[in-house]
Amino acid sequence: MTETTDRSADPVAVAAPFRYTAQLADRLETRWQDRWEAEHTFEAPNPAGPLADPGKVAERPKVYVLDMFPYPSGTGLHVGHPLGYIATDVVGRYKRMTGHNVLHALGYDSFGLPAEQYAVQTGQHPRVTTDANVANMRRQLRRIGLAHDPRRSIATTDVEFYRWTQWIFLQVFNSWYDHEAGRARPIAELVAAFETGARPTPGGRAWADLTDRERREAVDAQRLAYLSEAPVNWCPGLGTVLANEEVSADGRSDIGNFPVFKRSMRQWMMRITTYADRLIDDLDRLDWPESIKIMQRNWIGRSEGAQVEFAVAGADPARSLSVFTTRPDTLFGATFMVVAPEHALLSGALPAAWPDGTNPRWTAGAADPAEAVASYRAQAAGKTDLERQSERDKTGVFTGLFAVNPATGSAVPVFAADYVLMGYGTGAIMAVPGQDERDWAFAEAYDLPVVRTVQPVDGFVDAGGKAFTGDGPAINSGFLDGLAVVEAKATMTQWLVDRGTGVGTITYKLRDWLFSRQRYWGEPFPIVYDETGLPIALPESMLPVELPELADFSPTALAPDDELSQPIPPLGRVTEWVDVELDLGDGPRPYRRELNVMPQWAGSCWYELRYLDPTNTEAFVDPEVERYWMGPKSPGDVGGVDLYVGGVEHAVLHLLYSRFWHKVLFDLGHVSSEEPFRRLYNQGYIQAFAYTDERGQHVPAEEVTEDPREPGRYLWQGQVVEREYGKMGKSLKNSVTPDDMCRDYGADTLRVYEMSMGPLDVSRPWETRAVIGSFRFLQRAWRCVVDEASGRALVVDEPADEATRRIVARTVDGVARDMEGMRFNTAVAKLIELTNALTKLPVVPREAAEPLVLMLAPLAPHAAEELWSILGHDSTLAYAPFPVADPALLVDELVTCVVQVSGKVKARLEVAPTIGADELETLALADPSVVTSLDGRGVAKVVVRAPKLVNIVPAP
RNA sequence: GCCCCCGUGGCGGAACUGGUCAGACGCGCCGGACUCAAAAUCCGGUGACCGAGAGGUCAUGUGGGUUCGAAUCCCACCGGGGGUACCA
């Protein structure tokens, strides 16, 4: 320490110039951050390529630690943001000190709606706001002292990054899913199979007989990226379509909370559904929180059952009705059918008149079925999804048609009703009111018969039970009678297969991924259209397709409730970019570029791979580098990042999409790992109290004080305000910035506090006033080592006493375990205990001070580096070995044995840890207080858990 | 409605696979030292109730159960959080 600046302005510094104050912390933290950068301390060597340093790689096992990278927010960070980053930094630093080659980097998810919405709101070009926001976040994060490899900090908006995003899109576009092989294959192999006849063409005609266009269509229909005219989520407020995963349950956009409408549009899709089974099955091979796995399983929504064909009576045989059911065993109880209002059956001819004896309730007062159905369809079409979902009452109308139940041979009426959704299964169901609650409700409303096909458990009907969905023996079901549900399902499915009227099948809730957006701030597609309007992939040599500069980048402005206008992507305004002449192998021809851009998720689907090899210009990642950092560790291992930390909010978005892309890349042989993230850890949120005045407006939380006379009452500018609790952020006016904490206490204090608040995976409330505790801890640790007057080390080289050596060993052992288990809160507690113990010593021996400093290093790296240097070490402690406890010191000479009588502690014995059970029992029974407690009663039983516990059960 | 997670002092939280009178560590609070004073720092105390005291009784959302022994395992209920929702 050589600083002398401004000490006179700081009265404390005059008294103790080397006291650990916020100012001192600030100075030493900045100095160490500069030094780490100058000395390339945290640059991780690769096994090959430009970042290679093979000698260093060979020495150390690798660890890849990853954070979910942030999008560059305009408001900067609050203290909740770096929680996960600090945790991974602690892990990374600990791993370096235990001899690992640690890859840890942080980039920016800078394309997409969040970044673009911010630009639109501030009226600045997204390039400008994105760059400014990234710069600000880099500054804030650097201040926290994160040990990232700066060479690997990519942004998804970098041209050299998104050229590879486009390249991966081409891989997806140029591949198809071979269901027999269970994997994706290059599209050229599909063409070859068509040519040789190994695979039949869709129409069954010979490949040679097809026109060019027919061939194109046959191939395009198999691509994993394809154009499709389908109902999509149209969000006029954002001027774009959205993926299912980006729309909330109440039909609004996750971003901006605008209404979303279903609307048929031609869009790019990704065939994620072909991976549904693998996406579910491989969850079992991942070290992820069970809750996230459950959410992905539910989202994919795999359900096994049967598809059953019902002949429509009186109609031509082609008009059969196909339904999906998970309960083929209940077929004998299918007493009516229901189709969705949008079902194709309703577009065909309907009977001219109501059949004789039609129940008047079925007709909705219409003169004939056509009128009834038309009016019901119009009514259903006029409802939003939200309205449709909020109405639980069953409505519907008879179509005049009857279908033949293949099991009973009887004709059952077919209804149109909006409780059946077009988007799931076949859009039609066989209704079994006896075994399905919704069908029961419909049957009740429309006087339809109920046939129970599973014997309800005793008392179910008497207790008012209606549809019985549980297990039981089949009844009223002919050849199924007596079988339990599982066997009945299998038997019925086989029966249907034998008769050719059904087949066992699996359906999914998961839909293909809508991949295009009518926005500006995203990756352009490497796609052009020829004069006939067919999409053509650009060759790799034409990458990157750069996003053109555009002064007016706003999406087409539409009212949030405008369901009808066509979106015009902003790129459509750059005519000189859109209309191009290219030579794609058959001479220069005019083409028109794809105007849509990719969604926000494109870059985050593979960024973890680019960290590995960020400067590679030949490939998105060198296979050897990928194998080193992410390859399987053993046969059967899925490979991937060793530790991925982030919030739960991406459970079915980023975490599903990136698994899908990664599997495509694996299938095509571009990566050796089957999964991107072997281990996932969800950190909790930092929450904070927020306050509202009597109008319900949020007031700045930092200005609110608790009424000293009345705890639980909160005051802001003299008025009483209501307290609430929520996620920290701008809208609740309860943000606390890391900058303020660094200024008031220093980055190390912030880090220690965030790690000590509680278990990492649990949300917890921020309390600025509690930060002081972490500061005091660092101050005490500092004082153990440094003379506050001279700044010199205070430690002595004499051996420590036995007790000190034991507590050091115990702390080392416990902290190492806590680090491995990511229990940073208890690690901090143990370090505080050690520090408090050392504080009581007249002078701290070096053999206690050095382990303390080293253990502190992952949590409070700047202070630790400074103390390490004061202790006389020249180089950084980033790679100094983490202390190892002497096992001999972990075994106490005497342990306390508790003696209980009937489970109540009556005595304590100091015994050797190696004491035998018999000896301990004898000792316990002889103890005077035990004898008193037994009070002459005999002993019924003695439980001995040597050396810690003896429990004596007296005779009654 | 269904699925998942969680209920421990005034507060955040400890308690390894059921086993040392549960409450580590920190905040806050109370008392003391230093100071003209305050801040900062340091030392001590702090689950509730009864008792002058040693000590005793009650305590891990509520009620049952399993066990020699339960915050920990099982059942039911109450409360909170998250996911999902007419998915056949």
PDB file of all heavy atoms in Angstrom, chain A residues 548-561:
ATOM      1  N   PRO A 548     -29.400  -4.791 -42.642  1.00  0.00           N
ATOM      2  CA  PRO A 548     -29.146  -3.473 -43.235  1.00  0.00           C
ATOM      3  C   PRO A 548     -29.439  -2.358 -42.247  1.00  0.00           C
ATOM      4  O   PRO A 548     -30.294  -2.507 -41.367  1.00  0.00           O
ATOM      5  CB  PRO A 548     -30.113  -3.429 -44.418  1.00  0.00           C
ATOM      6  CG  PRO A 548     -31.203  -4.353 -44.046  1.00  0.00           C
ATOM      7  CD  PRO A 548     -30.590  -5.430 -43.207  1.00  0.00           C
ATOM      8  N   GLU A 549     -28.728  -1.275 -42.384  1.00  0.00           N
ATOM      9  CA  GLU A 549     -29.025  -0.092 -41.571  1.00  0.00           C
ATOM     10  C   GLU A 549     -30.366   0.452 -42.012  1.00  0.00           C
ATOM     11  O   GLU A 549     -30.707   0.431 -43.194  1.00  0.00           O
ATOM     12  CB  GLU A 549     -27.929   0.964 -41.738  1.00  0.00           C
ATOM     13  CG  GLU A 549     -26.696   0.677 -40.908  1.00  0.00           C
ATOM     14  CD  GLU A 549     -27.011   0.456 -39.430  1.00  0.00           C
ATOM     15  OE1 GLU A 549     -27.741   1.275 -38.843  1.00  0.00           O
ATOM     16  OE2 GLU A 549     -26.534  -0.547 -38.860  1.00  0.00           O
ATOM     17  N   LEU A 550     -31.096   0.948 -41.059  1.00  0.00           N
ATOM     18  CA  LEU A 550     -32.453   1.376 -41.375  1.00  0.00           C
ATOM     19  C   LEU A 550     -32.803   2.508 -40.422  1.00  0.00           C
ATOM     20  O   LEU A 550     -32.739   2.341 -39.210  1.00  0.00           O
ATOM     21  CB  LEU A 550     -33.388   0.174 -41.177  1.00  0.00           C
ATOM     22  CG  LEU A 550     -34.843   0.282 -41.576  1.00  0.00           C
ATOM     23  CD1 LEU A 550     -34.973   0.829 -42.990  1.00  0.00           C
ATOM     24  CD2 LEU A 550     -35.460  -1.103 -41.525  1.00  0.00           C
ATOM     25  N   ALA A 551     -33.138   3.659 -40.990  1.00  0.00           N
ATOM     26  CA  ALA A 551     -33.420   4.813 -40.138  1.00  0.00           C
ATOM     27  C   ALA A 551     -34.721   4.601 -39.376  1.00  0.00           C
ATOM     28  O   ALA A 551     -34.803   4.802 -38.175  1.00  0.00           O
ATOM     29  CB  ALA A 551     -33.492   6.079 -40.986  1.00  0.00           C
ATOM     30  N   ASP A 552     -35.750   4.130 -40.099  1.00  0.00           N
ATOM     31  CA  ASP A 552     -37.031   3.896 -39.432  1.00  0.00           C
ATOM     32  C   ASP A 552     -37.176   2.397 -39.197  1.00  0.00           C
ATOM     33  O   ASP A 552     -37.608   1.653 -40.060  1.00  0.00           O
ATOM     34  CB  ASP A 552     -38.188   4.418 -40.300  1.00  0.00           C
ATOM     35  CG  ASP A 552     -39.527   4.122 -39.651  1.00  0.00           C
ATOM     36  OD1 ASP A 552     -39.554   3.800 -38.447  1.00  0.00           O
ATOM     37  OD2 ASP A 552     -40.547   4.196 -40.364  1.00  0.00           O
ATOM     38  N   PHE A 553     -36.787   1.984 -38.015  1.00  0.00           N
ATOM     39  CA  PHE A 553     -36.729   0.562 -37.711  1.00  0.00           C
ATOM     40  C   PHE A 553     -37.991   0.064 -37.022  1.00  0.00           C
ATOM     41  O   PHE A 553     -38.115  -1.109 -36.714  1.00  0.00           O
ATOM     42  CB  PHE A 553     -35.526   0.282 -36.805  1.00  0.00           C
ATOM     43  CG  PHE A 553     -35.541   1.154 -35.578  1.00  0.00           C
ATOM     44  CD1 PHE A 553     -36.268   0.779 -34.471  1.00  0.00           C
ATOM     45  CD2 PHE A 553     -34.868   2.373 -35.564  1.00  0.00           C
ATOM     46  CE1 PHE A 553     -36.311   1.596 -33.357  1.00  0.00           C
ATOM     47  CE2 PHE A 553     -34.911   3.179 -34.453  1.00  0.00           C
ATOM     48  CZ  PHE A 553     -35.634   2.801 -33.345  1.00  0.00           C
ATOM     49  N   SER A 554     -38.933   0.977 -36.740  1.00  0.00           N
ATOM     50  CA  SER A 554     -40.100   0.595 -35.945  1.00  0.00           C
ATOM     51  C   SER A 554     -40.933  -0.452 -36.671  1.00  0.00           C
ATOM     52  O   SER A 554     -41.012  -0.448 -37.888  1.00  0.00           O
ATOM     53  CB  SER A 554     -40.983   1.809 -35.679  1.00  0.00           C
ATOM     54  OG  SER A 554     -40.250   2.763 -34.981  1.00  0.00           O
ATOM     55  N   PRO A 555     -41.558  -1.338 -35.904  1.00  0.00           N
ATOM     56  CA  PRO A 555     -42.496  -2.254 -36.548  1.00  0.00           C
ATOM     57  C   PRO A 555     -43.687  -1.465 -37.069  1.00  0.00           C
ATOM     58  O   PRO A 555     -43.921  -0.340 -36.634  1.00  0.00           O
ATOM     59  CB  PRO A 555     -42.904  -3.179 -35.402  1.00  0.00           C
ATOM     60  CG  PRO A 555     -42.693  -2.379 -34.166  1.00  0.00           C
ATOM     61  CD  PRO A 555     -41.532  -1.475 -34.452  1.00  0.00           C
ATOM     62  N   THR A 556     -44.419  -2.063 -37.987  1.00  0.00           N
ATOM     63  CA  THR A 556     -45.605  -1.404 -38.502  1.00  0.00           C
ATOM     64  C   THR A 556     -46.513  -1.061 -37.322  1.00  0.00           C
ATOM     65  O   THR A 556     -46.883  -1.937 -36.553  1.00  0.00           O
ATOM     66  CB  THR A 556     -46.363  -2.355 -39.449  1.00  0.00           C
ATOM     67  OG1 THR A 556     -45.393  -3.051 -40.232  1.00  0.00           O
ATOM     68  CG2 THR A 556     -47.309  -1.594 -40.333  1.00  0.00           C
ATOM     69  N   ALA A 557     -46.813   0.219 -37.195  1.00  0.00           N
ATOM     70  CA  ALA A 557     -47.601   0.651 -36.044  1.00  0.00           C
ATOM     71  C   ALA A 557     -49.045   0.210 -36.214  1.00  0.00           C
ATOM     72  O   ALA A 557     -49.689   0.527 -37.212  1.00  0.00           O
ATOM     73  CB  ALA A 557     -47.519   2.164 -35.908  1.00  0.00           C
ATOM     74  N   LEU A 558     -49.534  -0.546 -35.272  1.00  0.00           N
ATOM     75  CA  LEU A 558     -50.916  -1.009 -35.327  1.00  0.00           C
ATOM     76  C   LEU A 558     -51.516  -0.872 -33.936  1.00  0.00           C
ATOM     77  O   LEU A 558     -50.818  -0.969 -32.934  1.00  0.00           O
ATOM     78  CB  LEU A 558     -50.966  -2.485 -35.747  1.00  0.00           C
ATOM     79  CG  LEU A 558     -50.495  -2.813 -37.165  1.00  0.00           C
ATOM     80  CD1 LEU A 558     -50.329  -4.314 -37.327  1.00  0.00           C
ATOM     81  CD2 LEU A 558     -51.480  -2.279 -38.190  1.00  0.00           C
ATOM     82  N   ALA A 559     -52.815  -0.652 -33.916  1.00  0.00           N
ATOM     83  CA  ALA A 559     -53.495  -0.616 -32.621  1.00  0.00           C
ATOM     84  C   ALA A 559     -53.419  -2.005 -32.001  1.00  0.00           C
ATOM     85  O   ALA A 559     -53.476  -2.999 -32.711  1.00  0.00           O
ATOM     86  CB  ALA A 559     -54.953  -0.205 -32.820  1.00  0.00           C
ATOM     87  N   PRO A 560     -53.291  -2.075 -30.683  1.00  0.00           N
ATOM     88  CA  PRO A 560     -53.135  -3.383 -30.048  1.00  0.00           C
ATOM     89  C   PRO A 560     -54.284  -4.338 -30.339  1.00  0.00           C
ATOM     90  O   PRO A 560     -54.111  -5.548 -30.269  1.00  0.00           O
ATOM     91  CB  PRO A 560     -53.079  -3.042 -28.558  1.00  0.00           C
ATOM     92  CG  PRO A 560     -52.662  -1.623 -28.497  1.00  0.00           C
ATOM     93  CD  PRO A 560     -53.193  -0.970 -29.735  1.00  0.00           C
ATOM     94  N   ASP A 561     -55.479  -3.803 -30.690  1.00  0.00           N
ATOM     95  CA  ASP A 561     -56.605  -4.707 -30.930  1.00  0.00           C
ATOM     96  C   ASP A 561     -56.886  -4.882 -32.418  1.00  0.00           C
ATOM     97  O   ASP A 561     -57.928  -5.379 -32.810  1.00  0.00           O
ATOM     98  CB  ASP A 561     -57.849  -4.183 -30.208  1.00  0.00           C
ATOM     99  CG  ASP A 561     -58.194  -2.757 -30.620  1.00  0.00           C
ATOM    100  OD1 ASP A 561     -57.387  -2.147 -31.358  1.00  0.00           O
ATOM    101  OD2 ASP A 561     -59.253  -2.272 -30.199  1.00  0.00           O
TER     102      ASP A 561
END
